[in-house]
Amino acid sequence: MPRILITTDYLRPGDEADRYLRKHGHTTVHAPMTGRRDPAQLVAALEGIEGALVAHEPLSADVLSRAPHLRAVVRTGVGYDSIDVAAAAELGITVSNLPGVNAGAVAEYTIGLLLATARRLVQSAVGVAAGGWPREDGHELRGSTLGLIGYGAAARALVPLARAFGMRVLCTTGVPRAERTDAPVRFVELPELLTASDYVSVHTALTERTRGLLDASAFRRMKPTAVLVNTARGAVVDEQALADAVRGGEIAAAALDVVSEEPLPADSPLRDVDGITVFSHLAGQTAEARAAAGIQGAAELVAALAGHPRSAVNAHLLPHTPTARRDG
């Protein structure tokens, strides 16, 4: 019976995903991982494993090469930048993600960050807890401009919510023009988006092109009253440049659900910056999204181990027989 490793911390023995995998003839091994993942710990957990349901574990080329039985990896989410997909393909390992599985959760959460920042909700609660009674003015979302960097499922789900609050929506994306179907959205290049937006929300994948995309020059283009929201990947933002921009008044604030290194290191430049609030990567963490990710991830893993992955991100790199693990 193929052995399946499950490291996603909210998946549990006996839950729907676990039952699905066992119903299809697999043995499950639960090793939930949180915080910083040690490569040696991953290698040990992958011993004798043929398929894995994972969160953000750093599956490097070295780790993958030391898991000789592994044939399929499924991310219980959308981003997969923590996995060396090219190395996986060289080894005959399929790597899949779950496109759109938590888009609604991320879109709602983004609205929450916009409201919390615009109305200074965190500062108010912290002030009250400290014995004060803060009464600073906030801002309404109505009539403001939201700039979306990226046009994936979460960004698309965010558009009607933002419009319901009376926001204008701009977007910069590499998505082909034929797929830009939202009539209320105006598609522009990044410099125009940064200059015109009151709120800039990041929804792009992390690639070599987008790594550090929002740097010091980008922040200089933004309004001094602008707010940055990031629910995508931390490394899209140059964190030192962001801290400098907020401290220097080049932009007003930032609400970050993701950072380059998670959990946030003690020496991060984002700490102790008035106007920057960091949250603990919660955008997709709803009971509904987690349940969907678990069962969809289990179904994708069963399909991948059978040689028929439906959302393999490295399909174009794989050998013709993806179920045959290559040892060379």
Side-chain angles (χ1 to χ4, degrees), residues 46-79:
L46 287 165
E47 184 175 355
I49 294 296
E50 294 187 39
L53 274 179
V54 302
H56 297 288
E57 284 68 50
L59 295 177
S60 65
D62 178 62
V63 168
L64 293 170
S65 70
R66 295 162 68 187
H69 301 286
L70 189 62
R71 295 189 287 124
V73 174
V74 175
R75 261 283 290 120
T76 50
V78 179

Side-chain angles (χ1 to χ4, degrees), residues 99-188:
V101 70
N102 57 12
V106 173
E108 289 185 9
Y109 185 85
T110 302
I111 287 291
L113 295 187
L114 293 173
L115 286 168
T117 306
R119 300 302 297 270
R120 298 179 57 83
L121 299 184
V122 172
Q123 293 88 337
S124 175
V126 169
V128 171
W133 198 250
R135 298 281 293 164
E136 289 89 349
D137 286 346
H139 295 278
E140 297 178 18
L141 298 182
R142 185 189 306 114
S144 63
T145 298
L146 173 64
L148 304 177
I149 298 179
Y151 192 53
R156 297 179 199 213
L158 178 57
V159 170
L161 303 184
R163 294 285 296 170
F165 276 92
M167 304 181 81
R168 296 180 293 272
V169 182
L170 306 178
C171 180
T172 186
T173 180
V175 168
R177 292 185 181 277
E179 298 176 27
R180 303 177 187 181
T181 55
D182 279 317
V185 178
R186 188 162 72 89
F187 293 92
V188 298

